[in-house]
Amino acid sequence: MLQDALVSLLETGLADLAMDRPGRALGAPAVFRAALPSASDDEEAFPFVVVRWLEGEDYEADESMETFALIIGVYGEEDGDGHAASVAEQWSMVAASSIRRLLHGNQTLAGKFSLRFPVNSRKPTPEHQQERYHLVTITTKWSAPAPEPLLEA
């Protein structure tokens, strides 16, 4: 339910974001549930956002917490100086900030899931130099009323 709401929000909210795509015209990132399609060509998949559930927790205070990763993959064409890394770096920041603003404006999803702050975005391995292709992960936490206990028959 929450994953579907996140996918729908991102598809709608990013539809007008024209980003570099390898060998193709500018276009919006594709949004996927859980993982990239197995049949997709690595290069053809860019740009993308994968909505992946990471974990869930229940608390005694009748509250549940669900954690989702929004994994962003961007591509950068070489700039006039032959640097693709700086272009991809800029696309990384544009995509991450666009998604964070979108989340900030939509803090309740599926009628019961409330976004918890802070919303963290980072490169999975910032010490590793990325060239044309960059990955960024946005970690989101969503609270909701705890699930009802199961009744025994």
Side-chain angles (χ1 to χ4, degrees):
M1 184 176 352
L2 177 56
Q3 188 175 36
D4 290 339
L6 281 165
V7 168
S8 179
L9 174 68
L10 293 169
E11 286 175 337
T12 303
L14 299 177
D16 294 330
L17 183 61
M19 299 179 69
D20 278 348
R21 300 187 310 173
R24 297 173 288 155
L26 296 176
V31 181
F32 302 102
R33 286 169 185 78
L36 292 174
S38 59
S40 71
D41 176 6
D42 288 345
E43 207 171 82
E44 289 289 318
F46 286 82
F48 64 81
V49 180
V50 172
V51 179
R52 183 176 293 160
W53 178 80
L54 296 180
E55 67 179 346
E57 297 177 280
D58 291 330
Y59 301 98
E60 290 182 32
D62 298 330
E63 181 184 40
S64 286
M65 189 75 66
E66 302 297 333
T67 304
F68 279 82
L70 309 178
I71 302 160
I72 305 165
V74 301
Y75 169 81
E77 289 283 351
E78 288 186 3
D79 62 13
D81 296 326
H83 299 106
S86 63
V87 174
E89 185 87 5
Q90 290 172 21
W91 279 123
S92 297
M93 290 184 295
V94 166
S97 65
S98 295
I99 291 172
R100 286 193 317 267
R101 283 193 308 273
L102 188 60
L103 291 169
H104 194 270
N106 294 275
Q107 296 179 30
T108 301
L109 292 180
K112 67 178 184 177
F113 294 95
S114 298
L115 181 63
R116 295 294 181 222
F117 290 94
V119 173
N120 181 332
S121 57
R122 67 183 187 93
K123 290 183 178 182
T125 52
E127 68 283 354
H128 177 70
Q129 175 64 44
Q130 299 174 352
E131 291 296 327
R132 290 179 187 265
Y133 302 94
H134 283 226
L135 293 175
V136 176
T137 301
I138 297 176
T139 303
T140 63
K141 291 186 179 279
W142 300 83
S143 66
E148 295 292 322
L150 296 176
L151 299 176
E152 293 187 30

